[in-house]
Amino acid sequence: PARVTTSVPGFAPEHIGSIFTPFFTTKVDGRGTGLGLSIVRNIMDNHSADIRVEKSDEGGAKFILTFPPGG
């Protein structure tokens, strides 16, 4: 499988468990719907791929996307 990893500085570790929940946002009301990462997860699922997030050693969060062979 192919794997892509990226770090996002400034991402609060306490939000990691909620970020894929539809409508979860840390923005003030009227400044975002919180659908982005839930849609990304649905797209990944539809392609038999995986997206995970974990605390980054550099601070913030690390996203790991894993794609099946031949995908």
Side-chain angles (χ1 to χ4, degrees):
R3 177 178 276 182
V4 178
T5 303
T6 187
S7 293
V8 181
F11 198 92
E14 63 267 19
H15 296 146
I16 287 176
S18 302
I19 62 167
F20 294 113
T21 303
F23 304 108
F24 174 78
T25 184
T26 59
K27 297 178 182 178
V28 296
D29 287 343
R31 291 291 195 178
T33 60
L35 283 173
L37 288 172
S38 67
I39 291 172
V40 169
R41 174 167 266 170
N42 285 336
I43 292 168
M44 297 292 286
D45 288 347
N46 287 337
H47 291 278
S48 300
D50 183 55
I51 183 169
R52 294 186 299 120
V53 64
E54 57 190 46
K55 186 176 176 183
S56 173
D57 293 336
E58 295 86 35
K62 177 169 65 173
F63 286 84
I64 301 113
L65 289 73
T66 307
F67 300 90

